[in-house]
Amino acid sequence: MNMKIFLTALLMALAGFQAHAEDIPRKEYPRPQFERAAWINLNGQWDYTFDFSNTGMERDFPNATGFEDKITVPFCPESSLSGVGYKDFISHIWYHREIEIPNEWENKKVLLNFGAVYFNSEIYIDGTLAGRHFGGSSSFSIDITNLVTAGKKHHLVVHASSDLRSGKQSAGKQCLQFASYGCNYTRTTGIWQTVWLEAVAPTGLKSAQVITDIDQKQVIIYPKFHSDSPCLLKVMLKDGNRVVATTSVRASNSSVVVLPVKKPQLWSPESPFLYDIVYQVTDPSGKVVDEVHSYTGMRKIHIEGNKIFLNNKPYYQRLVLDQGFYPDGIWTAPSDAALKKDIELSMAVGFNGARLHQKAFEERFYYWADKLGYLTWGEAPSWGMDANDVEVARNFLVEWSELVIRDRNHPSLITWTPMNEEFWPDKVQYPRFTADLYDLTKSLDPTRPVNDASGGCHIKTDIWTVHNYEQDPYKLKNLLYKDGKFFQAPNYSLGVPPSNIGYNGLRQNEVYHFPEYDGKMPYLIDEVGGIKWVKGQDKTNSDTKSWGYGEPPKTEQEFLQRLEGQIYGILDLSDHVWGYCYTQLTDVEQEQNGIYYYDRTPKFDTEKIHAIFGANPEDIQDTYTNPLVDYGPDPWALWHDGYYYYMHTMGDRLVLWKTRDITDIRNAEKKTVWLPTDPTNKHNLWAPEIHNIDGKWYIYYAADDGNTDNHQLYVLENTRKDPFQGEFTMKGRISTDKDNNWAIDGSVFEHKGEWYMVWSGWQTRRIDTETQCIYIARMANPWTLGSERVLISKPELEWERHYKNVDGSEPSHKIFVNEGPQPLKSPQGKYIYIIYSASGVWTPYYTLGMLTAPADADLLNPASWKKSPQPLFKQSPENSVYGTGHNSFFKSPDGKEDYILYHARDTQMDPPGMGDTRTPRAQK
């Protein structure tokens, strides 16, 4: 043949092959840690037929040369990407396509590889059974060498069967009912990962287990071969083009490869360095007969006490639950880029890893996790199978072992989690099965911890995990750990099966004592959160009823506050709780509690989310979360003798809190110190303040007889050193003027040996307009004024006179407000400030203003006080903080820092039916 003609024909053939390759879905090599050059991707269009009556064998389907319908592999028939989109249960499906073996594969072993087929599968070549596989998640290979001929075409038929509702199969989140519901979704049947052919030398490498030993600075490899031979295996460990270490061993199944690494570069999320590995099998003449490309990351994962260590350092895990569902591919990612993108989306909001939940993720996901520095927990789809059943155990143990062997070389994979939420164990088979599962996993991979049943009934485990979806951050924190007590998952142990045998019941004679957490291993909450958020927050973005955990927040700000409260509460327990896994990365169909929507678009400002999930325990040691509690108008705090004393308006009583940490009021000791009985002052107890004057305790507050027009100031006294000891007694009403005009919000301060009171009051009795002003007077003693009141501020500026709300609603009469005066001395003592609140507290315009007087001035002279023309502190719509006001000031424990304590709302108005939503917040 003319050489020029031959080369032209060859180039045209290659061009045609590449064009065809572009049309192949998921065309990338599916096994990146064990990659050969000689392979053929079988993805693309196949023939198929359903076989609901299971008569395919009778109709001679194994010998089929084609079926009528078309399907795109590797997508399951339930998916839209398959071109089928059949959503009902599929018990049997048959696939067909032609395969052609290249002439170059003569004298090679020909392997037919399947990434995964759900659930059981039979493989036929030209009508002859080539092999079977049991299990729907693990990868498998069929040696078809003896059934094919190089240079010829053959008919490949795959029969997949599934009995999802039998209780014998590991189904994961595939729904056992017709339609998706709750946290169960569209099913996957048949081929759902890549199918490919591969040519291998008969003496070629079959597998290699890689163990990285960073303590001894070496890489240890256990190779396995298709057959023992006089060949040699050469292994090269490379950093780019530079060979770091190399050695050769006999190509024998008893050989071990040891590669010393003098200055190893370690793999971690912060620095995901990977070494390349090249395996070459050479025959006695030195010819390379098999070459495999791989990689590894040198890292160590181990446990000491109740901490998990990465590379010999404690490492806190901030994980997200990733279920690996896709709107168009279901269990199969539409592209390799989609796998990578999911990891990038997770990292963009602050997670350092994922629990890969109720699905065996494909190897290329782990590849991208290895490359990007993303921690993973490997899990099987254990839901749907009866873990108390012996046959189930036998099947699951085999398939799980296949998954462990397949994925154990990935550095990103740091924990094995074979099962999830096993809450209904029997007392014999389940403990036996779980212990066997743990021992099997450890025998196959002793380098990683095993979490036997995530959040469920633990039998034999290295990590104690729990699930808790309590939405209230305060309750969640206390449920997880308080006063030495940890949250324990319930075990609903099965008793004697019910039977209709009258009052002659059988006795439960099986005995097993289920373990409880003892604090001697890491404790993680590996499912938490699940906060529901739907587009528009009043609609669903799915075809079925929207679902999530608990009552959803009503605003984005409420969502962020709840999220921050939950996560920071867990971080604060890091001495006892060593990591979390948030539910979940994306919405999945009707379950709408993802950080992203199902289509991977963000729900929130990712920077705000990253600030929460990106935090480690050490990052929040000097931080706190606003609001401090879920209710608290008119907050007041005082630091005295090692404790903060805190109060806020309760309405019908006076309650005092005591804590060393003002940001932890939720957990503070509290006591009701006053429950009024006098009908003239037992109603509407507002704005209490506690002060220590000359070693005695005084509480100032306002109260009325049920008519708020009659508010007056009152004072209580307690002579004990500790205000939680003894009783408070009424010292009486403080007469602020001869006409006993309306008065609220009294506060006291000392200046140059004199005590003063400031408060809000009316000039005269209200007729049709109410004007609250700021007054000051000298005190004769803590319960009596010693001078006439002096008016120092009236609501005259525009920003002080808002009384209409944003929806147009308004009180029955005009109300102009100056109230809540709080004194503050400048750092150098040159000035006295009075910070007060202005405009209606029911509006978002409630704000803080400031009066200033020189410290050497006459404080009872109105001319001494100058009002700032602009508000000092006001609403922040961009942060959803409205109605900021009624503040107080407190010192840090060392007395060096001043903080402001104030109340605000998350919404412009109190939402209908929500009552008073003012909450206390602190700010430096």
Side-chain angles (χ1 to χ4, degrees):
M1 175 186 287
N2 183 289
M3 183 60 66
K4 184 176 180 180
I5 296 175
F6 172 77
L7 289 174
T8 302
L10 179 61
L11 289 171
M12 291 178 63
L14 288 173
F17 173 79
Q18 292 298 327
H20 175 65
E22 288 299 318
D23 298 331
I24 295 176
R26 300 302 309 273
K27 60 179 178 290
E28 65 281 349
Y29 192 84
R31 196 179 54 197
Q33 274 199 324
F34 205 79
E35 185 169 353
R36 287 190 172 93
W39 74 291
I40 299 173
N41 192 325
L42 298 182
N43 291 345
Q45 190 175 86
W46 292 43
D47 311 325
Y48 86 97
T49 188
F50 292 132
D51 181 16
F52 298 115
S53 59
N54 192 20
T55 58
M57 293 298 291
E58 299 168 48
R59 290 185 281 169
D60 200 25
F61 282 179
N63 282 297
T65 58
F67 296 116
E68 182 176 350
D69 296 315
K70 305 297 181 183
I71 187 171
T72 300
V73 169
F75 303 109
C76 67
E78 291 89 347
S79 71
S80 61
L81 287 176
S82 70
V84 180
Y86 185 85
K87 297 296 178 68
D88 206 343
F89 288 88
I90 301 172
S91 56
H92 296 270
I93 181 173
W94 294 77
Y95 297 82
H96 165 271
R97 69 158 289 161
E98 286 188 345
I99 58 174
E100 183 173 2
I101 310 302
N103 287 316
E104 295 78 11
W105 290 14
E106 184 77 39
N107 299 320
K108 300 277 190 180
K109 294 177 73 70
V110 179
L111 302 180
L112 176 60
N113 301 309
F114 293 84
V117 181
Y118 194 90
F119 182 74
N120 295 329
S121 52
E122 297 174 340
I123 315 302
Y124 297 89
I125 301 294
D126 296 333
T128 300
L129 179 67
R132 290 189 175 96
H133 182 259
F134 302 92
S137 296
S138 57
S139 304
F140 61 97
S141 294
I142 305 291
D143 187 343
I144 61 171
T145 308
N146 295 330
L147 301 176
V148 295
T149 302
K152 291 188 177 181
K153 293 183 178 180
H154 300 274
H155 291 282
L156 165 63
V157 172
V158 177
H159 173 212
S161 60
S162 174
D163 187 4
L164 199 66
R165 292 185 283 192
S166 66
K168 303 289 187 179
Q169 295 180 191
S170 53
K173 293 299 191 76
Q174 299 181 72
C175 191
L176 302 187
Q177 299 179 19
F178 169 73
S180 300
Y181 77 98
C183 57
N184 300 284
Y185 326 112
T186 302
R187 290 167 289 278
T188 289
T189 309
I191 298 171
W192 66 276
Q193 287 187 29
T194 293
V195 185
W196 75 102
L197 288 168
E198 186 176 31
V200 186
T203 57
L205 188 65
K206 187 175 185 179
S207 67
Q209 181 181 6
V210 181
I211 296 176
T212 60
D213 181 356
I214 70 170
D215 296 317
Q216 275 64 242
K217 299 180 181 179
Q218 60 187 4
V219 174
I220 303 167
I221 301 173
Y222 297 92
K224 291 291 179 285
F225 300 88
H226 285 283
S227 64
D228 284 334
S229 71
C231 295
L232 291 178
L233 172 67
K234 181 180 180 181
V235 183
M236 291 176 283
L237 188 72
K238 302 177 70 177
D239 175 2
N241 293 323
R242 182 174 67 91
V243 176
V244 175
T246 184
T247 191
S248 296
V249 297
R250 182 74 178 264
S252 166
N253 287 313
S254 60
S255 294
V256 178
V257 176
V258 179
L259 297 170
V261 184
K262 291 182 178 179
K263 295 180 180 180
Q265 298 187 61
L266 302 187
W267 183 96
S268 71
E270 293 73 26
S271 179
F273 181 84
L274 296 173
Y275 289 98
D276 292 321
I277 301 176
V278 179
Y279 301 100
Q280 290 180 335
V281 178
T282 57
D283 66 14
S285 69
K287 178 183 177 182
V288 175
V289 297
D290 189 24
E291 182 169 295
V292 175
H293 288 256
S294 184
Y295 67 86
T296 191
M298 292 193 70
R299 66 103 181 95
K300 174 185 177 183
I301 190 82
H302 79 285
I303 289 171
E304 292 182 19
N306 69 343
K307 298 290 188 292
I308 299 173
F309 285 65
L310 177 63
N311 298 335
N312 294 324
K313 296 179 181 179
Y315 201 91
Y316 193 88
Q317 295 180 54
R318 312 183 313 273
L319 308 179
V320 68
L321 197 78
D322 187 347
Q323 305 204 67
F325 272 75
Y326 299 87
D328 48 4
I330 315 299
W331 259 8
T332 310
S335 65
D336 190 50
L339 296 171
K340 181 183 180 184
K341 181 181 178 181
D342 279 356
I343 296 174
E344 291 173 332
L345 289 174
S346 177
M347 297 173 73
V349 292
F351 296 111
N352 61 14
R355 178 177 157 223
L356 307 181
H357 182 52
Q358 282 302 284
K359 172 190 164 186
F361 279 52
E362 62 179 279
E363 289 184 80
R364 289 202 67 88
F365 184 93
Y366 289 114
Y367 164 75
W368 286 116
D370 297 339
K371 294 274 286 185
L372 297 173
Y374 189 65
L375 304 176
T376 59
W377 289 21
E379 186 172 330
S382 63
W383 273 17
M385 69 179 194
D386 181 1
N388 299 328
D389 183 87
V390 175
E391 180 184 350
V392 165
R394 185 253 185 273
N395 291 334
F396 188 81
L397 288 167
V398 173
E399 185 173 17
W400 176 249
S401 68
E402 292 172 345
L403 288 171
V404 172
I405 291 170
R406 187 194 76 177
D407 298 333
R408 63 189 174 185
N409 289 341
H410 289 282
S412 62
L413 201 164
I414 64 169
T415 301
W416 296 113
T417 305
M419 294 189 294
N420 175 63
E421 289 185 345
E422 302 296 338
F423 291 141
W424 296 271
D426 66 12
K427 295 184 178 180
V428 176
Q429 168 57 24
Y430 177 78
R432 177 191 178 194
F433 169 42
T434 308
D436 287 348
L437 192 54
Y438 174 92
D439 292 338
L440 174 65
T441 308
K442 284 294 193 181
S443 68
L444 296 172
D445 177 20
T447 70
R448 291 175 177 86
V450 175
N451 174 27
D452 60 353
S454 172
C457 178
H458 293 295
I459 301 296
K460 196 172 185 180
T461 188
D462 297 318
I463 301 173
W464 197 277
T465 54
V466 296
H467 299 172
N468 195 305
Y469 286 104
E470 170 59 52
Q471 292 297 294
D472 183 275
Y474 169 71
K475 292 180 180 178
L476 174 65
K477 182 178 179 182
N478 286 334
L479 279 170
L480 287 177
Y481 178 82
K482 187 175 183 181
D483 300 329
K485 184 178 181 181
F486 289 86
F487 172 75
Q488 303 276 354
N491 293 328
Y492 305 107
S493 181
L494 298 180
V496 176
S499 31
N500 191 11
I501 56 176
Y503 293 102
N504 191 18
L506 300 171
R507 176 179 171 176
Q508 170 61 268
N509 291 317
E510 295 175 349
V511 177
Y512 186 81
H513 299 291
F514 292 97
E516 292 188 357
Y517 182 63
D518 59 6
K520 296 180 180 178
M521 65 177 67
Y523 180 101
L524 288 85
I525 179 165
D526 67 340
E527 281 190 33
V528 69
I531 306 173
K532 179 181 173 183
W533 185 265
V534 183
K535 288 180 180 177
Q537 203 53 11
D538 60 350
K539 303 174 184 177
T540 65
N541 55 350
S542 64
D543 296 328
T544 54
K545 186 177 179 181
S546 176
W547 188 86
Y549 290 97
E551 185 69 22
K554 293 179 173 55
T555 66
E556 182 175 334
Q557 182 66 19
E558 184 184 342
F559 177 95
L560 293 171
Q561 287 176 349
R562 185 188 299 183
L563 177 65
E564 183 179 73
Q566 289 182 2
I567 300 305
Y568 280 20
I570 295 169
L571 293 174
D572 196 44
L573 295 174
S574 62
D575 286 344
H576 312 286
V577 181
W578 193 239
Y580 64 84
C581 178
Y582 182 82
T583 301
Q584 61 181 323
L585 180 61
T586 73
D587 292 347
V588 181
E589 298 184 5
Q590 71 283 344
E591 185 174 358
Q592 294 175 312
N593 46 26
I595 296 300
Y596 295 91
Y597 291 111
Y598 198 16
D599 63 5
R600 273 58 177 176
T601 57
K603 294 183 177 183
F604 311 100
D605 183 335
T606 55
E607 289 186 2
K608 292 180 179 179
I609 300 296
H610 188 281
I612 298 171
F613 289 127
N616 283 308
E618 60 271 18
D619 298 325
I620 68 158
Q621 290 177 355
D622 297 318
T623 64
Y624 57 90
T625 302
N626 281 323
L628 304 180
V629 286
D630 296 331
Y631 172 80
D634 313 326
W636 166 266
L638 171 74
W639 173 258
H640 184 81
D641 283 350
Y643 289 95
Y644 286 104
Y645 294 94
Y646 169 86
M647 304 186 80
H648 64 234
T649 293
M650 296 291 288
D652 64 343
R653 69 194 64 205
L654 300 180
V655 177
L656 181 64
W657 282 259
K658 179 181 180 180
T659 177
R660 294 188 184 276
D661 181 2
I662 191 63
T663 67
D664 194 30
I665 301 171
R666 295 177 187 272
N667 296 311
E669 179 185 2
K670 67 178 180 178
K671 178 183 179 181
T672 298
V673 296
W674 187 252
L675 195 61
T677 58
D678 185 341
T680 66
N681 59 67
K682 66 179 295 185
H683 301 279
N684 299 310
L685 281 66
W686 289 357
E689 295 186 5
I690 187 169
H691 295 263
N692 189 277
I693 302 174
D694 297 331
K696 297 180 182 179
W697 293 98
Y698 295 91
I699 294 178
Y700 299 90
Y701 68 100
D704 63 37
D705 58 1
N707 180 354
T708 56
D709 282 359
N710 296 329
H711 257 111
Q712 295 288 296
L713 292 173
Y714 295 87
V715 61
L716 308 175
E717 181 186 66
N718 186 335
T719 60
R720 299 290 291 271
K721 183 177 181 180
D722 183 351
F724 272 64
Q725 304 298 317
E727 300 294 333
F728 279 88
T729 59
M730 173 65 76
K731 296 300 291 185
R733 180 179 66 84
I734 296 179
S735 178
T736 57
D737 68 287
K738 60 183 177 59
D739 297 323
N740 294 323
N741 272 299
W742 185 89
I744 64 169
D745 300 348
S747 188
V748 301
F749 68 99
E750 183 273 333
H751 180 59
K752 294 185 177 180
E754 300 271 13
W755 281 88
Y756 295 84
M757 171 173 273
V758 287
W759 71 94
S760 175
W762 293 347
Q763 290 177 285
T764 60
R765 191 75 175 176
R766 175 178 61 81
I767 299 176
D768 60 356
T769 298
E770 178 179 331
T771 302
Q772 296 176 220
C773 305
I774 304 298
Y775 290 92
I776 187 170
R778 186 180 291 112
M779 302 184 74
N781 57 48
W783 58 90
T784 309
L785 298 186
S787 72
E788 295 294 322
R789 67 175 186 169
V790 175
L791 187 152
I792 58 175
S793 177
K794 291 194 299 185
E796 299 170 316
L797 302 175
E798 181 183 0
W799 53 269
E800 299 178 294
R801 296 173 65 84
H802 293 287
Y803 65 92
K804 293 184 179 180
N805 224 321
V806 290
D807 64 350
S809 61
E810 57 183 282
S812 58
H813 54 276
K814 294 179 180 179
I815 305 177
F816 304 118
V817 175
N818 279 184
E819 65 182 17
Q822 288 294 312
L824 180 68
K825 294 183 180 180
S826 66
Q828 291 78 29
K830 293 183 179 181
Y831 297 98
I832 302 293
Y833 304 115
I834 290 180
I835 312 301
Y836 64 95
S837 301
S839 286
V841 70
W842 55 91
T843 74
Y845 313 114
Y846 196 59
T847 189
L848 294 182
M850 184 171 70
L851 304 172
T852 305
D856 57 0
D858 179 3
L859 301 186
L860 299 184
N861 182 353
S864 299
W865 297 95
K866 303 298 181 184
K867 179 181 291 189
S868 297
Q870 298 299 325
L872 182 70
F873 192 61
K874 61 182 181 179
Q875 63 175 323
S876 176
E878 62 272 19
N879 294 312
S880 298
V881 179
Y882 302 94
T884 53
H886 208 110
N887 72 291
S888 60
F889 297 101
F890 64 88
K891 292 281 189 182
S892 60
D894 61 8
K896 295 180 180 180
E897 297 176 330
D898 286 293
Y899 289 81
I900 186 173
L901 185 64
Y902 62 97
H903 72 223
R905 292 185 185 87
D906 296 335
T907 54
Q908 291 184 313
M909 304 167 48
D910 288 325
M914 292 289 290
D916 191 344
T917 59
R918 291 176 289 172
T919 54
R921 298 131 194 267
Q923 197 164 317
K924 186 175 177 182

